[in-house]
């Protein structure tokens, strides 16, 4: 069964379906994909105001940034959060969007 992972967005063209949790088949066996309420592969819900005492990094890019082929915990943004204390990484990557 194929599950729809993307939806239309009037301004930027498309986003991931908000709030999805799915296992995606892949040549390496598959991976877990989760999205936040805004429709990005990011474990954080986006807040306009920065969390006091934390640094914020915003990632933009294509399938590499979005994390195609790997579960969330292996994406470079998630790895950065585990390596650098007091860091929030917001991932805006979208598969197929170009660099």
């Amino acid at each position: 069964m194929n599950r729809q992972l993307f939806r239309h967005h009037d301004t930027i063209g498309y986003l991931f379906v908000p709030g999805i949790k799915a296992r995606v088949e892949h040549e390496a066996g598959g991976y877990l994909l989760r999205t936040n309420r805004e429709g990005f592969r990011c474990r954080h819900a986006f807040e306009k105001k920065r969390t006091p005492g934390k640094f914020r990094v915003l990632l933009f890019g294509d399938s590499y940034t979005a994390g195609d082929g790997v579960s969330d915990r292996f994406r470079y943004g998630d790895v950065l959060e585990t390596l650098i204390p007091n860091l929030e990484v917001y991932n805006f990557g979208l598969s197929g969007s170009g660099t």
Side-chain angles (χ1 to χ4, degrees):
M1 169 165 91
N2 290 332
R3 184 172 189 177
Q4 184 169 337
L5 301 177
F6 298 98
R7 69 171 176 88
H8 174 77
H9 187 277
D10 288 338
T11 305
I12 62 175
Y14 65 97
L15 293 173
F16 286 100
V17 173
I20 198 170
K21 180 180 177 183
R23 180 160 178 77
V24 179
E25 292 183 24
H26 189 264
E27 60 195 31
Y31 61 96
L32 179 63
L33 180 142
R34 293 180 190 186
T35 63
N36 63 15
R37 68 180 180 224
E38 290 87 7
F40 292 99
R41 277 191 77 184
C42 184
R43 66 175 139 181
H44 305 292
F46 297 125
E47 303 294 337
K48 289 182 181 181
K49 195 170 185 177
R50 187 173 54 88
T51 304
K54 290 200 173 201
F55 295 98
R56 181 179 280 185
V57 172
L58 308 179
L59 301 177
F60 297 91
D62 56 10
S63 57
Y64 186 77
T65 299
D68 285 10
V70 297
S71 295
D72 292 355
R73 65 186 174 122
F74 297 115
R75 293 176 308 138
Y76 72 88
D78 293 74
V79 172
L80 281 173
E81 279 190 336
T82 64
L83 296 175
I84 302 173
N86 299 318
L87 183 69
E88 290 178 323
V89 176
Y90 285 3
N91 189 333
F92 293 97
L94 285 171
S95 307
S97 63
T99 51

